[in-house]
Every structure is written in structure tokens, then in C-alpha cells.
């Protein structure tokens, strides 16, 4: 599995574990046991690093916390479907990140966990994702 790289894909995921380690009192993440129990339909919050270009052509790196819903559980990683379009991305652009695309992630990337309502999950999984991440 190739995970996104900022210099190639213009986005990547940040390690929640690396952020938590130096500041456990101010940067909480779910316990490892909870993250290991992620299953189909669970929501995981991740931190995305996104390379964005403004209207003047200046490139900057932005960080955004967003939810993905787990659609696949693999032995070493997960695939989730992004629940929204990042603020710095245009839904009409050719950029990969937008609502309902596949995102591969690791346990270390998870900074929060939730369980969406059944009706939301039924609607989400009634259709294929807009874009699939290469396996």
C-alpha cells in the first residue's frame, strides 16, 4: 500500500501519536486498544496536511482535522471514506481530496473515534466512493 506523500500527492496524514507523545495532557487521542478495535462503519478523525495554492500562486501547507468512515479493515491499515471536502480544496478541482473519496490510514493517524448513525452509514455505503485509492 502506498500512503499519500505531501511531495507527490500534495497531501499526507499526520501521526496523532507523534502529536500526543510530547503533550498528552493537551493533545488527547483514544487509547491504542480502542483504535485497534476500529471496524467497518466507525468514524475516525485524522489530521490532514494539505499543500494549497492561493489565488496569487503562493503555496502553503494547511492542516485540517476531518472524519473518515471506515470502509475496509486490513491487517496493517484501514481505508476510510472522507466525510467532507477540505476547506482549502475546491469540489470541482482535479485535486484528489473531496467528500467521499477513499483515504488509507494507520492506527497512529487516529485522533478520535465515533459511530455515525445507521441511516448515515446506509446512505454512504449505498454508492461507490467518488475516487478509490490505488491498492
Amino acid at each position: 500500500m502506498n500512503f499519500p506523500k505531501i511531495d507527490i500527492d500534495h497531501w499526507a496524514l499526520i501521526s496523532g501519536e507523534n502529536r500526543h507523545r510530547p503533550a498528552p495532557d493537551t493533545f488527547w487521542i483514544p487509547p491504542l486498544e480502542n483504535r485497534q478495535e476500529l471496524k467497518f462503519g466507525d468514524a475516525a478523525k485524522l489530521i490532514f496536511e494539505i499543500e494549497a495554492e492561493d489565488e496569487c500562486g503562493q503555496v502553503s501547507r494547511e492542516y485540517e482535522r476531518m472524519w473518515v468512515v471506515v470502509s475496509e479493515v486490513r491487517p496493517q491499515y484501514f481505508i476510510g471514506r472522507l466525510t467532507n471536502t477540505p476547506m482549502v480544496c475546491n469540489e470541482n478541482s482535479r485535486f484528489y481530496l473531496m467528500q467521499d473519496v477513499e483515504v488509507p490510514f494507520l492506527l497512529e493517524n487516529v485522533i478520535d473515534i465515533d459511530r455515525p448513525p445507521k441511516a448515515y452509514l446506509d446512505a454512504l455505503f449505498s454508492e461507490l466512493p467518488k475516487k478509490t485509492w490505488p491498492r
Side-chain angles (χ1 to χ4, degrees):
M1 168 61 65
N2 289 320
F3 290 91
K5 295 177 181 53
I6 194 78
D7 56 332
I8 297 170
D9 302 298
H10 306 287
W11 68 279
L13 295 173
I14 301 298
S15 171
E17 290 178 358
N18 288 346
R19 292 263 175 116
H20 169 75
R21 207 169 285 118
D25 294 332
T26 58
F27 194 91
W28 177 88
I29 61 173
L32 179 60
E33 308 80 56
N34 295 51
R35 291 180 281 139
Q36 289 172 326
E37 293 172 358
L38 278 173
K39 61 187 179 306
F40 178 86
D42 285 343
K45 187 181 276 187
L46 313 174
I47 303 173
F48 291 74
E49 177 181 21
I50 303 168
E51 196 172 72
E53 186 175 319
D54 67 17
E55 61 277 350
C56 298
Q58 296 294 328
V59 176
S60 64
R61 296 227 173 127
E62 305 291 333
Y63 298 86
E64 192 165 341
R65 296 174 188 208
M66 295 184 284
W67 292 95
V68 298
V69 175
V70 176
S71 56
E72 292 180 37
V73 178
R74 300 293 181 132
Q76 301 298 320
Y77 64 92
F78 301 88
I79 300 289
R81 289 171 68 169
L82 190 58
T83 63
N84 62 292
T85 298
M87 296 290 291
V88 297
C89 300
N90 180 336
E91 184 80 43
N92 298 318
S93 76
R94 293 183 357 199
F95 191 63
Y96 182 81
L97 288 180
M98 66 177 63
Q99 186 172 358
D100 200 26
V101 299
E102 289 187 331
V103 173
F105 66 99
L106 303 168
L107 287 174
E108 73 178 69
N109 302 122
V110 178
I111 62 168
D112 204 356
I113 298 170
D114 198 8
R115 183 70 180 175
K118 183 182 181 324
Y120 176 81
L121 296 174
D122 290 346
L124 178 66
F125 292 116
S126 69
E127 297 183 14
L128 295 174
K130 287 182 183 172
K131 296 179 187 176
T132 57
W133 189 258
R135 313 270 196 297

